[in-house]
Amino acid sequence: MAWKLSMSRFAFVPRIAAAVIAIASAAVFCSFELAGNPSGQFPNPPELRAKHHTLSSTLHAGVTKDGKNSFYFHGQPNAPTLRLSPGDQLKINYINDLPAKPQESCAIAPCMDMTNLHFHGLTVSPDAPQDNVLDMMAMPGQSLRYTVQIPQDHPPGLYWYHTHPHGESHRQALDGMSGALVIEGIESYFPPLVGLPERILVVRGRSIGNDPQSADLKHRVGLSSDICGAEPEATEEVFTVNGSVRPQIGIAPGERQFWRLVNASADRYLDLQLEEQPFEIVAMDGMPIALHDPSHPTRSAEHVLLPPAGRLEAIVTGPATGASRRLISRCVDTGPDGDPNPAMVLADIVPRSTANSLAKAAKSSLKSEVKTPDLTAEEKTPPRFTVTFTEDKQGFYINGKKFTPDAAPMLRAKVGSFQHWRIVNATRELHPIHIHQVHFLAYAENDTPIASPLWLDTVNVPYGGSVDVIMDFTDPVIRGMSVFHCHLLNHEDKGMMAKILFE
């Protein structure tokens, strides 16, 4: 199956991660659409919204009937979308109800069913009780209390939360322990969003290696037999959208909808394409394009590569009357040593009436702030720090070192500065790099300037190649010990992570 594409002048170079492009004090809002019904309706996840500037909730970690780890919300295996505004406070009582004797294997033995939370992409403190993945850890029967303060000037957009216990993060993410997190106010940066129906799409990988329905699942998603890389292994995962395999998503002819999509898979790439419809991209990785480039607040692309943890926020337009389209993930060449990432269908886009139960964006009271720092001088300086990914049969490494919980920080960074980093991938497979607490400008790949660089928190690094970024260490709230790592979580579990101390 060969996918044809025509790229606009703003389309992204495919290899770069779309850079080249018990509830208290909260109200619950749920969509009532049903997946796969004739009207093409499809539900957003359940939602929690802050009330009086505070969102308080209790979230459990548990095991489903089929033996998978899961978040439990209101007694059901589900992960609510958390919606907050700049200046709000998020309070979560996270209870570990996982069994003391794990039912699944993990990357590093022995498995302990420990767990915690990471608020991916949020510019918040890495110290407890906020986004601390190093010291905050709950063993079975224990709980953690998070109090996360969203800064008043926090960029609005799509973020997400997921577990981050070193050695067990891949297993828990693959089982689906993740959810969307929205910081409100993006309409202030792009007013045409006001009044558009909004969809939250959480895409996860579903393991089919030992699934008796694997043949049927492969058939349902139209799994391509074409090989776009040299990966030797058989396909082990299919994608789900909000927990469903190939759902129907309804959109009226000519209707414009605002889609907010997160690649919440543990280790698979999405190369998103909506047949015969371009994406009008408003934000990537929670960062509105207009925040740094108000004169060009959107980008248009026929397809967008999202690494694990990447987020896309874009306007899509319904096809002509009676036409159906497919949302596809194209085949991704992950390299000779990479995992297979074949093409498959994520969802069917079907026509429906304009009547729907999707929430519509209201006019934001947030005052937009444009940030256009001149980084030309920093881009031209030699890298202040080089990250080199390597691997062998014993594990995965950053600058020749495998992560250990008691390791000293690999780098000390002065808060208040921008820094030019170079990430070098000296392996034969793709690696996406993510750094906690901050965003960065990815501006060059393989020593070639990127035509339309964007601000991200996770970027793909081509195998045998490099990416140059400008790290934004200017926010004073990020002081403390943090981490950066490969977001193929199996690699992170096996050592491809390092500490950074913000001083």
Side-chain angles (χ1 to χ4, degrees), residues 109-390:
C111 294
M112 295 183 288
D113 268 349
M114 58 185 177
T115 190
N116 61 4
L117 296 177
H118 168 46
F119 304 97
H120 186 115
L122 292 187
T123 305
V124 297
S125 171
D127 290 339
Q130 301 200 56
D131 192 23
N132 185 326
V133 300
L134 295 170
D135 303 316
M136 295 185 72
M137 195 72 66
M139 303 302 292
Q142 297 179 342
S143 63
L144 298 169
R145 292 186 178 272
Y146 289 91
T147 301
V148 181
Q149 181 63 52
I150 310 299
Q152 289 282 358
D153 60 350
H154 199 289
L158 178 64
Y159 300 86
W160 66 303
Y161 62 99
H162 60 89
T163 61
H164 207 293
H166 178 66
E168 305 187 38
S169 60
H170 179 268
R171 175 171 58 104
Q172 293 182 9
L174 184 59
D175 282 353
M177 299 185 75
S178 59
L181 191 158
V182 174
I183 302 297
E184 307 282 14
I186 196 169
E187 301 82 13
S188 67
Y189 288 91
F190 192 62
L193 292 175
V194 174
L196 297 189
E198 178 186 303
R199 291 194 181 276
I200 301 291
L201 303 173
V202 181
V203 179
R204 301 184 179 94
R206 172 174 169 177
S207 178
I208 59 173
N210 299 314
D211 194 320
Q213 302 180 25
S214 61
D216 176 63
L217 291 171
K218 291 179 181 179
H219 176 73
R220 285 169 61 187
V221 300
L223 194 68
S224 171
S225 59
D226 284 1
I227 302 298
C228 62
E231 305 90 351
E233 294 89 358
T235 301
E236 298 177 344
E237 296 179 32
V238 298
F239 287 116
T240 65
V241 183
N242 293 354
S244 297
V245 175
R246 194 172 176 172
Q248 291 182 338
I249 299 177
I251 185 169
E255 178 187 15
R256 286 158 61 83
Q257 292 184 357
F258 182 39
W259 287 14
R260 314 182 93 162
L261 186 149
V262 53
N263 181 359
S265 64
D267 54 7
R268 292 295 184 268
Y269 283 81
L270 291 172
D271 192 356
L272 294 168
Q273 182 180 37
L274 185 58
E275 290 179 322
E276 300 183 25
Q277 296 287 332
F279 293 106
E280 185 180 352
I281 302 170
V282 176
M284 297 295 302
D285 285 4
M287 188 67 67
I289 295 173
L291 178 63
H292 293 94
D293 191 1
S295 60
H296 301 93
T298 65
R299 303 286 188 269
S300 178
E302 300 296 326
H303 70 107
V304 180
L305 180 66
L306 285 186
R311 283 96 66 211
L312 167 69
E313 295 175 81
I315 299 171
V316 300
T317 303
T321 304
S324 295
R325 297 287 185 262
R326 299 179 301 174
L327 178 63
I328 297 163
S329 180
R330 297 151 41 100
C331 189
V332 178
D333 176 8
T334 63
D337 292 342
D339 295 319
N341 217 124
M344 67 183 74
V345 181
L346 300 181
D348 292 296
I349 312 304
V350 299
R352 61 156 174 79
S353 67
T354 55
N356 68 89
S357 60
L358 291 176
K360 295 185 178 181
K363 185 176 180 180
S364 173
S365 60
L366 180 70
K367 184 178 180 181
S368 59
E369 178 186 0
V370 177
K371 298 180 180 180
T372 55
D374 185 359
L375 303 177
T376 305
E378 188 65 31
E379 291 176 7
K380 293 180 178 180
T381 63
R384 297 177 185 241
F385 185 62
T386 298
V387 177
T388 302
F389 288 154
T390 56

